[in-house]
Amino acid sequence: MVERDTIRLLRECDSGVKMGITAIDEVIGHVKGAGLKNALSDSKHESERLQTDLQKVLHDYHDEGKDPNPMVQGMSWVKTNWEMLIDGTDSKIAELMMDGCNMGIKSLSRYMNQYKAADERSKEIAKRLISSEEKLSADMRTYL
């Protein structure tokens, strides 16, 4: 049970961190202000560090991780690009990023509750990812 829940939690974290990195990549080229660009860049670097840690733990469990659901990823891309077409301001970018962070926090919290038997190392990675999402969401408030 522990190993199964551990792998499932790690897979969801892997999928989530990939979604976050992709979301930042989609909007960062549209950012006008240096402060917002730096906040997004810093968050992306933190996500990449988390992804590296995740890959090491997944490798220990002989698992390759999980890519984001293509339907969810496609819907996110459409929404982001539509919103950017209508209103490509830094404020809109901050709002979109906050929405994504809040969805990530909610999903990861649900998975932590669902996979209670996961080992402490995977729970710690999930907590770090949630903390990273909370920080980016709070940082975005400045740009609304």
Side-chain angles (χ1 to χ4, degrees), residues 36 90-99 140 143-144:
L36 178 56
D90 283 2
S91 177
K92 178 53 78 173
I93 291 169
E95 181 182 334
L96 289 168
M97 294 308 299
M98 282 183 75
D99 290 347
M140 293 298 101
Y143 304 100
L144 292 177

Side-chain angles (χ1 to χ4, degrees), residues 2 6 9 52 58 60-61 71 75 82 110 119 127 143:
V2 171
T6 297
L9 180 59
T52 298
L58 282 163
D60 290 347
Y61 282 98
M71 181 69 84
M75 289 172 49
W82 176 256
R110 180 175 43 246
D119 71 9
K127 289 174 188 174
Y143 304 100

